[in-house]
């Protein structure tokens, strides 16, 4: 069986159980006991922070929660926390705006309820193929690298690259490819040299840039969000408040 964990997020327990029991997991070479369920976005976030997950299957509308907002959170989380996650939406909403946003957030597929097991299995097959291809590439890279010869690359290549592309949708894989390093090894080396994770560093740099824009321009929150590399103003606003203790609007009013 492949070393893959799957997390299904849905507020209806019967929907989670349907995915767990009706999909032919053995055919995908995935152990059914590694297909986990979460009844809310909050539960899913807690699970992801403690257990590596390679595939997420997520509903959109849940009580007081939105699955697409969660996918945005997870895309930011996994870009800098390790093995990327392949996301599949499983929902009863066929509306174009939902499909469009899911694709913008990098979802691999969009499957409609009521679930057809074969359709979900096809999406999962694509996910497994991407995961295996990525792992093989990383293994090849790691075999060619010697730790002691690459530590200066953090300052020579990685930090300048992050600064140059701060407004883009950065990922660990992109940064590692630029530095010609294995992503996992690069993250360990970055933490060793800077004392911070890449996610923490990028978030700090983006918020610092946002603070400068708030004080020196009249740009709206939507414009600033786009210029610092985020998609959702709500996500940016929540991150800003968590890091600075006040909202972007309050910061502009207080310090301008």
């Amino acid at each position: 069986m492949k070393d893959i964990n799957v997390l299904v997020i849905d507020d209806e327990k019967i929907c989670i159980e349907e995915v767990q029991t009706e999909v032919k997991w053995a055919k995908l070479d995935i152990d059914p006991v590694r297909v986990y369920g979460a009844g809310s976005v909050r539960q899913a976030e807690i699970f992801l922070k403690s257990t590596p997950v390679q595939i997420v299957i997520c509903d959109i509308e849940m009580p007081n929660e939105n699955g697409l907002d969660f996918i945005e959170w997870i895309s930011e989380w996994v870009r800098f926390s390790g093995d990327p996650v392949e996301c599949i939406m499983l929902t009863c909403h066929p509306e174009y705006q939902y499909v469009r946003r899911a694709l913008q957030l990098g979802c691999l597929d969009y499957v409609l309820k009521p679930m057809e097991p074969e359709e979900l299995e096809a999406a999962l097959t694509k996910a497994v193929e991407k995961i295996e291809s990525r792992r093989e590439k990383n293994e090849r890279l790691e075999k060619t690298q010697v730790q002691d010869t690459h530590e200066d690359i953090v300052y020579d290549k990685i930090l300048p690259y992050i600064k140059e592309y701060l407004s883009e949708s950065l990922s660990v894989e992109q940064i590692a490819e630029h530095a010609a390093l294995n992503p996992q090894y690069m993250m360990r080396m970055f933490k060793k040299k800077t004392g911070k994770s890449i996610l923490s560093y990028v978030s700090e740099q983006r918020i610092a840039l946002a603070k400068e824009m708030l004080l020196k321009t009249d740009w709206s929150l939507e414009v600033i969000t786009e210029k610092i590399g985020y998609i959702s103003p709500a996500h940016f606003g929540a991150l800003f408040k968590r890091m600075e203790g006040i909202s972007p609007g309050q910061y502009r009013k207080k310090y301008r």
Side-chain angles (χ1 to χ4, degrees), residues 142 182-193:
E142 194 157 11
N182 170 270
Q184 298 291 336
Y185 166 64
M186 182 197 71
M187 288 190 295
R188 293 195 300 270
M189 184 175 63
F190 189 93
K191 182 72 177 285
K192 176 183 175 183
K193 297 294 285 186

Side-chain angles (χ1 to χ4, degrees), residues 226-253:
E226 182 179 351
K227 286 185 176 292
I228 63 171
Y230 292 122
I231 295 174
S232 166
H235 173 70
F236 160 59
L239 178 63
F240 189 98
K241 188 169 185 178
R242 185 162 65 248
M243 294 180 67
E244 299 297 322
I246 56 177
S247 70
Q250 290 170 329
Y251 180 88
R252 172 178 270 168
K253 184 176 181 180

Side-chain angles (χ1 to χ4, degrees), residues 17-134:
E17 292 174 347
E18 184 179 20
V19 173
Q20 291 173 323
T21 58
E22 295 197 17
V23 169
K24 294 182 176 63
W25 295 105
K27 179 182 175 183
L28 298 165
D29 205 19
I30 295 175
D31 191 338
V33 302
R34 302 181 71 170
V35 182
Y36 304 93
S40 70
V41 165
R42 178 61 181 158
Q43 288 179 13
E45 289 180 1
I46 293 171
F47 186 88
L48 281 164
K49 289 176 180 178
S50 63
T51 306
V53 171
Q54 289 72 45
I55 300 175
V56 160
I57 301 170
C58 188
D59 192 10
I60 290 182
E61 286 197 354
M62 292 171 275
N64 302 314
E65 296 177 322
N66 184 292
L68 289 170
D69 290 341
F70 171 67
I71 296 300
E72 182 167 1
W73 176 87
I74 197 176
S75 64
E76 186 69 16
W77 167 262
V78 301
R79 274 203 294 266
F80 303 103
S81 62
D83 198 9
V85 175
E86 299 301 331
C87 298
I88 299 168
M89 304 309 298
L90 179 61
T91 175
C92 61
H93 293 284
E95 291 85 356
Y96 170 73
Q97 66 267 26
Y98 288 128
V99 179
R100 183 172 182 269
R101 188 175 177 211
L103 295 177
Q104 286 177 328
L105 292 172
C107 288
L108 183 65
D109 212 332
Y110 195 97
V111 180
L112 291 176
K113 295 178 180 179
M115 181 192 75
E116 293 291 340
E118 294 79 10
E119 186 177 359
L120 184 55
E121 286 166 15
L124 287 162
T125 298
K126 290 189 291 185
V128 170
E129 289 173 352
K130 287 190 68 175
I131 292 165
E132 291 297 292
S133 174
R134 188 160 51 233

Side-chain angles (χ1 to χ4, degrees), residues 151-185:
E151 292 193 350
D152 288 340
I153 290 179
V154 171
Y155 298 104
D156 295 340
K157 279 195 169 184
I158 297 174
L159 292 179
Y161 183 81
I162 290 174
K163 183 177 180 180
E164 182 177 357
Y165 293 97
L166 199 60
S167 63
E168 305 293 330
S169 182
L170 281 168
S171 72
V172 162
E173 285 199 325
Q174 290 170 335
I175 300 169
E177 184 175 355
H178 171 74
L181 295 174
N182 170 270
Q184 298 291 336
Y185 166 64

